[in-house]
Amino acid sequence: MAYDGTGFSGWARQPGLRTVQGLLEDTLAKQPPGAEVPRSVVVAGRTDAGVHAEGQVVHVDVVPLGPQDGRRGLPVDEGGIPDLDRMRHRWNRILPGDVRVLGAAVAPEGFDARFSALRRHYRYQVSDAPWGVDPLRRTDTLAWNRPVDVAALNAAAADLLGLHDFAAYCKAREGATTVRELQRFEWERVDRHLIVARVSADAFCHSMVRSLVGSLLMVGDGRRGTGWPAELLGGTDRTSAVAPAHGLTLVGVDYPDPTELAARAERTRAVRTL
């Protein structure tokens, strides 16, 4: 899936609010890929309000149709699943323009969109132009009103890689671990005033990417030393340097070989400690 997060109160369904999950589940109820959809969809990454996605992954359990069931005028395969390319077309006709289903397939045995994932990839875009941000990029790029040193950003980011307790960079949730393996954190100036951060981890806790980006931008503009973000690791006080949501995009999710999906999900469900 892909979506522009600007007009959403995040991924998760909430009463009275416009959410991506709410729209998708309502669409699947109108055009189920089977006889019915008995449960909520499961998502790889629960994005916050304003966060975008171009590579979100979800799975949904369905009650299959009979092999000869011709309801809705769609060909049905041996497993009772309609033509998913045609279903995708129908879903996108129902969904608003800021949400698209990019593809659909029958999931391998043992697949879980959330727990089978090996890692998630995010991108954060920043403009350090003195006049702000290009008007055409204002919904997916943060305007930073200070010049940013990319070398300093990368020096600070390198110290955060690996398995750590990222409690200082996460919004606390009761019973949830904040131990994560940060596998990639790189910054690149891709245009005169446009800087892109690429962040990958096996999983992210709530607001972790935005907190990492916000803290490093204070290093990049010279207000903090390059060692400061690493000094926060393992601390109990959460940093207040949280970057706004609109600069963040979920760009992809990696999964293991189909034979390893169930085992990966079992390992991921275990609560980690250091």
Side-chain angles (χ1 to χ4, degrees):
M1 293 185 65
Y3 47 86
D4 178 344
T6 306
F8 291 101
S9 297
W11 163 266
R13 180 186 281 274
Q14 302 173 64
L17 297 178
R18 186 174 188 261
T19 67
V20 184
Q21 181 183 12
L23 282 177
L24 177 62
E25 291 181 347
D26 291 347
T27 298
L28 291 172
K30 294 174 182 176
Q31 288 287 329
E36 62 176 301
V37 176
R39 300 184 182 88
S40 298
V41 300
V42 176
V43 69
R46 289 164 57 100
T47 50
D48 294 337
V51 176
H52 316 292
E54 60 186 43
Q56 182 67 277
V57 179
V58 304
H59 86 253
V60 59
D61 296 327
V62 303
V63 176
L65 296 167
Q68 307 303 319
D69 196 327
R71 278 183 288 174
R72 295 186 293 282
L74 294 172
V76 177
D77 68 13
E78 293 178 354
I81 303 299
D83 182 330
L84 291 175
D85 285 338
R86 293 178 67 181
M87 291 301 294
R88 176 187 59 186
H89 176 70
R90 292 189 176 192
W91 295 328
N92 285 327
R93 289 181 63 183
I94 298 171
L95 289 165
D98 51 359
V99 184
R100 294 290 91 177
V101 176
L102 306 180
V106 177
E109 184 71 23
F111 178 82
D112 186 291
R114 177 184 177 189
F115 289 110
S116 295
L118 289 173
R119 64 190 61 84
R120 285 89 170 161
H121 306 281
Y122 281 89
R123 177 182 68 237
Y124 199 100
Q125 298 188 150
V126 180
S127 169
D128 63 350
W131 36 261
V133 65
D134 184 327
L136 297 180
R137 304 311 302 264
R138 68 189 184 281
T139 61
D140 71 353
T141 303
L142 172 67
W144 198 254
N145 62 357
R146 297 167 179 257
V148 174
D149 182 346
V150 173
L153 291 172
N154 279 317
D159 292 337
L160 299 173
L161 296 175
L163 186 69
H164 302 287
D165 185 342
F166 285 94
Y169 293 97
C170 298
K171 188 174 182 180
R173 285 183 169 175
E174 187 175 354
T177 181
T178 51
V179 175
R180 297 290 188 268
E181 183 184 4
L182 188 62
Q183 299 172 351
R184 182 187 187 189
F185 196 5
E186 298 173 354
W187 296 78
E188 180 184 8
R189 186 174 292 278
V190 298
D191 206 341
R192 182 181 178 187
H193 296 300
L194 181 61
I195 303 163
V196 175
R198 297 179 177 88
V199 192
S200 303
D202 55 353
F204 291 94
C205 41
H206 193 197
S207 294
M208 178 175 163
V209 180
R210 293 168 54 201
S211 297
L212 289 169
V213 168
S215 297
L216 263 74
L217 284 173
M218 295 183 68
V219 172
D221 67 18
R223 284 182 286 173
R224 295 283 188 174
T226 56
W228 176 68
E231 293 171 4
L232 298 178
L233 284 175
T236 56
D237 295 330
R238 184 183 177 219
T239 177
S240 59
V242 182
H246 71 276
L248 184 61
T249 300
L250 173 63
V251 297
V253 185
D254 294 344
Y255 293 93
D257 183 270
T259 61
E260 301 175 7
L261 288 168
R264 172 64 184 175
E266 184 177 354
R267 289 196 301 272
T268 304
R269 286 187 173 95
V271 176
R272 289 182 298 175
T273 68
L274 290 177

